[in-house]
Structure formats: C-alpha cells, structure tokens
C-alpha cells in the first residue's frame, strides 16, 4: 500500500518482494485449476455426446423367448449408410436350427456384412432377416445378442488374464467351463506352456499372443457362452492348416445342436458345413453341399482345385 501511495524506501521494496512471493503460489495454483477445469469441460462435452447418442437399432416388439436357431434371409439388400456401398444385392438363404452353413467368397463380397446383419449391428435396407420365423427386428436386442456367439474377423482382446478374456460377457463361468472352451478351440496346450497358465496377463501388462492364438481365444470366448447360433467370421485365417483341421474337428462336437455360420476364404473350412453359399459382389452365385459344388464347374470348384494344389505344393 505504501508503494501504491508512492512512499518508496528500501524497507518498502523488501516488503513488496515478500508480498509478491506470497502471491506466486496462489496465482500459479489458480492457473492450474483454470486449465484443469477447461480440460474437464472439454472432456465432459465429449462424454455427453457419447451418452446422448441415439441407438437407431431399436426393437419394435421386444420379444424375449427361447431361440432354437432357424435363420432366414429373404431377398436382403443392404447399403452401408455412411459409405453408400451396396454390400448385399438381394441375398436369400435359409438354415435350419442345428444346421451349419458356410459362406465363402472373394474379399469385399459381403460375407462380414451378413454376420453384421445377423448380430443386428445394422438393419437391412430392404428384405428381411428372420430368426425362428420372426423378424429379427421384433426380438429384444439382448435376446438376439445373448443367443449368438460371434467370433469377429478382427479379434479384440482386453489387457486382462486369458481366463477373463474367455469369460468376457459371461462372468458366471466356472474354471472347468473356461478350460473346456479353450480345449475345443485347441488352445489348452498353448496356455499350459505359459508359467501362469490361464492367469497369464495379456496386452500391455503381459504377454502378446500370436495372431492364431488370439483368434483361438476369441473362438473360446464365443463358444464358452454356449450360444444357439455360432458365427465365425474368418476366424481361422491366421492358423496353419494343421491347427485349422484340429480346431474344425473339435468344432464338430460343438456344432451339434447349434446353428453355425462359418465365414471363410478356405474351402477346407467351408467343406465342413451342411450347406455352402458362394458370394460374389453381394450376390449368391452358387449354393449347395460341398459334393454338389465340386461336381459342377464353377467358382467353388476352381477355388477348391486351386487350394488343394496349393496345399499339395506346401506339403511337398
Ligand atoms: N462399416 C462399413 N462401412 C462402410 N462400408 C463398409 C463397411 N464394412 C464393409 N463395407 C463395404 O461393404 C462391402 C462388403 O464388405 P464385407 O466386409 O462384407 O466383405 P467381406 O466379404 O467380409 O470381405 P473380407 O473377405 O475381406 O472380409 C465392401 O465393399 C466394403 O468396402
Ligand atoms: Mg469380412
């Protein structure tokens, strides 16, 4: 105050420096707080945006009932809303409960799109998808998704233990059930080699699995929930043919009484199914059993010959 009034003296200046020093900390703290508040406000804005996002996949009737797994696609057309790409151009097929179907086709032919529609990630642009004779739109989302075991094309694992990754989405699983699922996915031998076994941490805090091992954890996760409908989207692409065969063999046991949709590039995976559809550019170009398809000249037959030759070359 003395300084403000113009009374300058050495004593006053010393006092002034002390006052300024006392102010430094509170002013700095004020700066910090302001910046924290600003950052928090920006984050809250984004969180709110996320929380207020409307889900356009809504169920009209919210039917909740046991599902046995009959699937019907009726002239399904689908265009991705964000890119305008017409991924399915009138696809019709049906699979009876407990049957298996393989979808094979070139890249971009619409295979994963069929899986997306079955999990009701999107609704069809026209035509309908029916489960047990009822439109998929009538079921509550939890009924549909709760009955589907989906192995996505892009595996997603958490930085958790292997056991937690397999049990994800189904915390009631016992250790024995987790082990059994891993057995069916031909994974136990790999896991037992890790010092901590099923308690091995994955990701940043633990070990990194190989591509094929990741795919098998993902398969184990899907089958552990014992779903009525099992969808496997190209989930054996990163394993060698020997592992593929042993997984497919144990799969046969799992596939009993379950509707299974096997999406693949490889004839070796597809031939296991009761029925095969060959997709090209969003349309079904051939369908039938493995025997029917190899006996007539077409895409499947030429694919089969190419892949068998490839395998023979690799074996020699
Ligand atoms: N989320 C998406 N948004 C926009 N377009 C998409 C999306 N997913 C796929 N598409 C387009 O739809 C078409 C069919 O894609 P889809 O993923 O079904 O092919 P695919 O048969 O599974 O191929 P791949 O064998 O490579 O997995 C492609 O042309 C693709 O570019
Ligand atoms: Mg795909």
């Amino acid at each position: 105050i003395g300084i403000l009034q113009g009374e300058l003296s050495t004593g006053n200046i010393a006092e002034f420096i002390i006052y300024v020093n006392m102010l430094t900390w509170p002013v700095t703290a004020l700066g910090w707080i302001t910046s924290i508040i600003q950052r928090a406000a920006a984050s809250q804005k984004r969180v709110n945006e996320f929380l207020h996002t409307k889900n356009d996949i809504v169920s009209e009737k919210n039917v909740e009932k046991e599902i046995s797994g009959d699937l019907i696609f009726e002239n399904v057309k689908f265009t991705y809303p964000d890119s305008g790409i017409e991924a399915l151009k009138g696809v019709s097929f049906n699979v009876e409960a407990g049957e298996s179907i393989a979808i094979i086709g070139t890249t971009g032919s619409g295979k994963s799109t069929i899986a997306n529609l079955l999990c009701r990630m999107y609704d069809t642009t026209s035509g309908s998808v029916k489960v047990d004779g009822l439109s998929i739109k009538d079921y509550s989302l939890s009924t549909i998704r709760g009955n589907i075991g989906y192995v996505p094309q892009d595996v997603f694992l958490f930085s958790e233990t292997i056991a937690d990754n397999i049990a994800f989405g189904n915390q009631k699983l016992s250790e024995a059930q987790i082990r059994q699922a891993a057995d069916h996915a031909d994974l136990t031998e790999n896991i037992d080699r890790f010092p901590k076994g099923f308690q091995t941490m994955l990701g940043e805090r633990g070990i990194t699995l190989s591509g094929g091992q990741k795919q098998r954890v993902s398969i184990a996760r899907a089958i552990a929930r014992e779903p009525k409908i099992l969808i496997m989207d190209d989930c054996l692409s990163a394993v060698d043919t020997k592992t593929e065969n042993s997984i497919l063999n144990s799969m046969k046991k799992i596939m009993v009484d379950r509707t299974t949709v096997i999406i693949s590039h490889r004839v070796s995976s597809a031939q296991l199914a009761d029925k095969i559809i060959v997709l090209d550019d969003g349309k079904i170009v051939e369908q039938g059993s493995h025997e029917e398809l190899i006996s007539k000249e077409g895409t499947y037959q030429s694919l089969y010959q190419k892949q068998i030759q490839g395998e023979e070359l690799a074996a020699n």
Side-chain angles (χ1 to χ4, degrees):
I1 292 163
I3 295 164
L4 292 178
Q5 288 166 349
E7 298 168 19
L8 270 179
S9 72
T10 2
N12 275 347
I13 289 175
E15 221 171 287
F16 174 67
I17 290 171
I18 290 169
Y19 283 139
V20 168
N21 273 339
M22 281 168 69
L23 278 174
T24 317
W25 162 243
V27 170
T28 315
L30 206 63
W32 278 347
I33 298 288
T34 323
S35 114
I36 289 172
I37 291 176
Q38 272 172 351
R39 269 190 290 170
S43 304
Q44 183 69 50
K45 206 174 140 207
R46 291 195 49 190
V47 171
N48 282 346
E49 255 171 41
F50 177 72
L51 290 177
H52 295 150
T53 309
K54 279 226 172 68
N55 185 1
D56 44 7
I57 304 290
V58 279
S59 177
E60 284 146 21
K61 298 190 182 138
N62 267 314
V63 174
E64 291 191 11
K65 67 175 182 112
E66 287 266 311
I67 282 180
S68 52
D70 263 335
L71 301 178
I72 302 178
F73 264 58
E74 269 174 1
N75 199 17
V76 170
K77 293 187 181 161
F78 180 71
T79 306
Y80 278 100
D82 37 356
S83 66
I85 292 175
E86 193 181 15
L88 296 179
K89 304 171 180 170
V91 168
S92 307
F93 65 87
N94 69 306
V95 200
E96 276 169 34
E99 256 190 356
S100 54
I101 188 164
I103 304 172
I104 195 164
T106 47
T107 170
S109 56
K111 303 184 294 299
S112 299
T113 308
I114 292 184
N116 284 340
L117 295 178
L118 280 173
C119 298
R120 214 174 161 214
M121 299 306 225
Y122 296 94
D123 279 331
T124 58
T125 310
S126 73
S128 68
V129 177
K130 288 182 178 163
V131 177
D132 288 2
L134 201 63
S135 165
I136 198 169
K137 292 185 190 171
D138 291 341
Y139 290 95
S140 72
L141 277 178
S142 57
T143 303
I144 284 297
R145 294 188 187 155
N147 277 292
I148 290 182
Y150 173 46
V151 189
Q153 191 165 15
D154 304 312
V155 178
F156 191 87
L157 299 182
F158 298 92
S159 298
E160 292 289 342
T161 62
I162 296 181
D164 284 345
N165 265 292
I166 295 178
F168 172 73
N170 196 346
Q171 301 307 331
K172 284 175 287 183
L173 287 185
S174 69
E175 221 167 278
Q177 283 170 309
I178 293 177
R179 184 163 261 278
Q180 198 190 16
D183 261 343
H184 286 314
D186 199 29
L187 193 66
T188 327
E189 206 183 299
N190 284 261
I191 296 178
D192 285 341
R193 260 188 261 142
F194 298 134
K196 288 192 187 156
F198 279 85
Q199 296 310 315
T200 308
M201 288 297 286
L202 299 185
E204 282 167 28
R205 287 181 287 150
I207 60 152
T208 306
L209 296 180
S210 75
Q213 288 168 340
K214 282 184 197 157
Q215 286 188 331
R216 280 175 284 152
V217 172
S218 186
I219 295 175
R221 181 191 288 162
I223 55 189
R225 36 194 303 161
E226 306 201 341
K228 276 287 165 200
I229 303 167
L230 184 62
I231 304 171
M232 299 189 285
D233 193 350
D234 222 357
C235 65
L236 296 172
S237 60
V239 301
D240 51 49
T241 25
K242 190 171 150 266
T243 316
E244 182 191 24
N245 279 332
S246 86
I247 297 180
L248 291 176
N249 272 327
S250 46
M251 279 290 176
K252 278 187 204 153
K253 278 178 261 162
I254 304 162
M255 281 158 58
V256 174
D257 290 338
R258 269 177 241 286
T259 309
T260 319
V261 181
I262 304 170
I263 295 173
S264 178
H265 279 109
R266 287 197 201 148
V267 172
S268 47
S269 288
Q271 65 184 10
L272 186 77
D274 301 319
K275 199 187 261 183
I276 299 165
I277 60 179
V278 185
L279 216 57
D280 185 34
D281 193 25
K283 286 187 290 261
I284 296 180
V285 288
E286 278 177 309
Q287 61 179 316
S289 68
H290 174 71
E291 282 70 30
E292 282 164 13
L293 292 179
I294 45 170
S295 64
K296 66 175 177 215
E297 246 171 68
T299 323
Y300 190 83
Q301 195 197 50
S302 65
L303 208 63
Y304 177 72
Q305 273 158 0
K306 244 189 267 168
Q307 292 184 3
I308 291 292
Q309 274 168 6
E311 262 176 48
E312 275 168 5
L313 279 178
N316 292 329

